[in-house]
Amino acid sequence: MTRTLRAPVIAGNWKMHKSPDEAREFLAAFLEAHPEGDRAILFFPPAISVEAAVHAAAERGDVRVGVQNIHWEDEGAFTGEVSAGMAHDTGAQVVLVGHSERRHVFGETDEETGRKVAAALRHGLDVMLCVGETIEQRRAERVDEVILAQLDAGLAEVGTDVLDRISIAYEPVWAIGTGETATPEDASAAHGTLRRRLGQKYGGDAGSSVPLLYGGSVKPENARELLSAPDVDGVLVGGASLDPDSFARIAAAVRRGG
Ligand code: PGA
């Protein structure tokens, strides 16, 4: 199943970078460098900068802002955490769930990702679920097993009726922030595996409508090739999303033949 004709989703994950002032400054520069077009542009600033980013991008129908993480409970004694409802209240429209740094630095489990996805949907946030294998898992030829387990757990409580609020980011852990990028063939293979499972779970048509993004050292120099790969519907960009010009170049990358 190949979906190269769909308009790409270009997402920037700022991680723990950019204060509210810096978010405003970035967006002023980026919005000028990237005129409104057919691409869906998404930013994930730190929670404290979400409101500033929402205001800075308010005039642009092609730009949405999300949060990088939520807690699954609605409220309570969880110092340092933010709930889905609170994130939604700041103007966030999407949440990243299961980013590899959440999984590997903060010990988030597959089961917790499922609870976070359910909480997000309950409170009006769309979800970008991240999955990806470590280098050891890749060497042991366990890529499909790992990413399918992450997919199944993350979507455990997601029915067909809300599937249009879900996107999946395949981010091999060994490619994140390392300068190493999966080849377009590797990305397509993993995306094909995810697409087939979505088809099995939700029916062929439903499965094929979920956007699948690739992430891991995406840069202006490799964005076009990755976006041209079969089953790659967009990119999730970390380091190269921090500079407005570099992110604008990625957002403008034209697909081969498109
Ligand atoms: P990177 O990060 O582009 O810096 O590799 C990607 C991500 O973590 O989403």
Side-chain angles (χ1 to χ4, degrees):
M1 219 172 296
T2 309
R3 301 168 59 257
T4 46
L5 293 176
R6 190 193 169 96
V9 181
I10 312 291
N13 171 16
W14 289 350
K15 310 192 180 189
M16 201 171 74
H17 297 281
K18 296 198 189 295
S19 67
D21 272 352
E22 289 166 338
R24 278 186 279 270
E25 237 170 73
F26 173 100
L27 278 157
F30 172 79
L31 296 178
E32 199 176 315
H34 181 77
E36 186 158 352
D38 67 346
R39 276 125 209 259
I41 308 289
L42 253 167
F43 289 105
F44 295 98
I48 199 114
S49 302
V50 163
E51 216 162 346
V54 168
H55 283 293
E59 304 291 310
R60 287 283 294 260
D62 57 333
V63 177
R64 296 198 300 160
V65 178
V67 281
Q68 299 170 11
N69 180 40
I70 50 162
H71 195 279
W72 56 83
E73 294 289 349
D74 291 352
E75 60 183 9
F78 302 104
T79 300
E81 295 289 317
V82 169
S83 74
M86 293 169 191
H88 187 256
D89 208 38
T90 63
Q93 297 182 60
V94 197
V95 58
L96 267 189
V97 175
H99 186 275
S100 84
E101 285 145 25
R102 298 300 319 167
R103 295 178 189 269
H104 297 288
V105 181
F106 298 101
E108 190 167 304
T109 65
D110 281 355
E111 196 235 329
E112 287 170 354
T113 65
R115 296 166 84 174
K116 290 181 181 197
V117 170
L121 295 173
R122 215 167 48 235
H123 288 278
L125 293 175
D126 291 353
V127 170
M128 185 177 290
L129 175 70
C130 304
V131 301
E133 81 287 356
T134 62
I135 192 65
E136 293 77 19
Q137 291 164 335
R138 172 162 283 264
R139 287 195 186 119
E141 296 183 2
R142 294 181 52 216
V143 177
D144 288 5
E145 174 203 332
V146 170
I147 64 177
L148 290 177
Q150 292 172 339
L151 183 77
D152 288 345
L155 301 185
E157 294 185 45
V158 175
T160 315
D161 55 323
V162 285
L163 208 54
D164 59 347
R165 295 173 55 198
I166 303 286
S167 54
I168 309 291
Y170 168 62
E171 297 203 306
V173 179
W174 48 270
I176 296 179
T178 58
E180 294 223 17
T181 316
T183 62
E185 292 74 28
D186 286 341
S188 281
H191 288 210
T193 299
L194 295 167
R195 180 82 69 209
R196 280 189 293 281
R197 176 60 60 96
L198 289 167
Q200 284 161 5
K201 280 168 86 82
Y202 297 105
D205 282 356
S208 67
S209 66
V210 175
L212 299 182
L213 283 70
Y214 167 79
S217 298
V218 176
K219 300 182 191 67
E221 296 73 33
N222 60 21
R224 177 176 184 239
E225 209 184 0
L226 286 161
L227 283 168
S228 303
D231 270 322
V232 176
D233 305 315
V235 285
L236 176 57
V237 187
S241 74
L242 295 174
D243 174 73
D245 292 326
S246 121
F247 195 59
R249 282 169 65 205
I250 293 173
V254 178
R255 294 170 175 209
R256 199 181 302 277

